[in-house]
Amino acid sequence: MKKIGIMGGTFDPIHYGHLVAAEMARAEFKLSKVLFIPTGTPPHKNRRDISAGEVRFEMVKRAIQDNPAFDISALEIEREGPSYTVETLRVLRRTWPEDELYFITGSDALLEIFSWREAEEIFKLIQFIGAARPGFDASDFFLKVQQEHPETQGKIHYLEVPALAISSTDIRARVRRGEPIRYLLPEPVRLYLEELGLYVE
Ligand code: NAP
């Protein structure tokens, strides 16, 4: 039985915080690989324009090219309509019926987990690794969740990732203000977004 990490996120853009989180999760949970899945049309996002799926996919592809344990899937980008995690997980379960799957994402995204479609079903399909920014403490929240929803017991894991002080929101704001973003994300990604003029107002 293998252990596989599924790294879900918008990745607009992907940055070193994401990459360090995936690598730390891989080592700590002994994952044989981490599959990055950029979201298609996120169901919960109408608050800002998100870069096209193909562009975010290309950024992730360039970012992970030098790590043989990282891979990418276009599953959500290619799917029509809103991207529900439960649907993605059902497809992945067919690929890996016997293996242990871990969904890695931002721990602040996990605070909303019970608003996700078929949240209870999701916990039958996968465990979670919440990658936390330094200073982020949601232990009370998760304790309460595990008390109220016994099916989540032992299925939400925490990983503090100091590199997550970097954020996609901050990178986009820096580009808008004409400030440097070098060393916050892999150079091939920086060159690509510069080439496309992404995030420039
Ligand atoms: P988001 O609201 O854009 O991000 C929430 C926070 O989590 C941000 O601080 C973000 O930082 C961080 N984050 C996001 N992905 C991360 C990752 N892989 N590793 C570390 N930090 C991460 O959340 P999102 O990216 O749209 O959604 C996260 C995942 O949850 C996606 O796979 C999405 O499909 C899933 N989701 C599913 C449903 C549903 O099925 N109904 C609803 C919501 C979310 P950065 O901005 O720096 O990335």
Side-chain angles (χ1 to χ4, degrees), residues 122-134:
I122 291 181
F123 281 100
K124 292 187 192 146
L125 296 166
I126 202 161
Q127 303 191 35
F128 282 91
I129 301 174
R133 298 210 137 88

Side-chain angles (χ1 to χ4, degrees), residues 6-15 17-19 21-22 36-45 47-48 50 56 76 79 82-88 103-110 112-113 115-119 122 128-133 136 161 164-172:
I6 311 296
M7 181 77 168
T10 308
F11 304 127
D12 194 18
I14 187 161
H15 53 66
H18 299 129
L19 295 166
F36 285 68
I37 307 193
T39 54
T41 310
H44 56 305
K45 266 195 190 149
R47 54 185 190 265
R48 71 172 178 88
I50 296 171
R56 290 180 292 110
E76 292 201 355
R79 195 164 59 210
S83 264
Y84 292 109
T85 298
V86 68
E87 287 169 14
T88 304
F103 193 84
I104 312 161
T105 195
S107 48
D108 33 358
L110 289 185
E112 313 276 319
I113 184 115
S115 69
W116 295 13
R117 174 177 285 202
E118 295 184 61
I122 291 181
F128 282 91
I129 301 174
R133 298 210 137 88
F136 179 92
V161 183
L164 273 176
I166 302 171
S167 86
S168 302
T169 308
D170 176 58
I171 291 176
R172 293 192 304 272

Side-chain angles (χ1 to χ4, degrees), residues 28-97:
E28 195 152 327
F29 291 82
K30 303 194 171 30
L31 308 175
S32 57
K33 67 188 269 179
V34 177
L35 183 67
F36 285 68
I37 307 193
T39 54
T41 310
H44 56 305
K45 266 195 190 149
N46 31 31
R47 54 185 190 265
R48 71 172 178 88
D49 289 335
I50 296 171
S51 304
E54 301 70 39
V55 169
R56 290 180 292 110
F57 182 88
E58 186 59 31
M59 289 195 280
V60 174
K61 201 171 118 196
R62 290 177 188 220
I64 65 170
Q65 63 195 2
D66 57 355
N67 189 331
F70 288 177
D71 204 349
I72 183 168
S73 161
L75 193 65
E76 292 201 355
I77 300 286
E78 287 171 354
R79 195 164 59 210
E80 298 280 312
S83 264
Y84 292 109
T85 298
V86 68
E87 287 169 14
T88 304
L89 295 179
R90 284 193 178 115
V91 175
L92 296 176
R93 263 282 161 231
R94 286 200 286 277
T95 310
W96 293 296

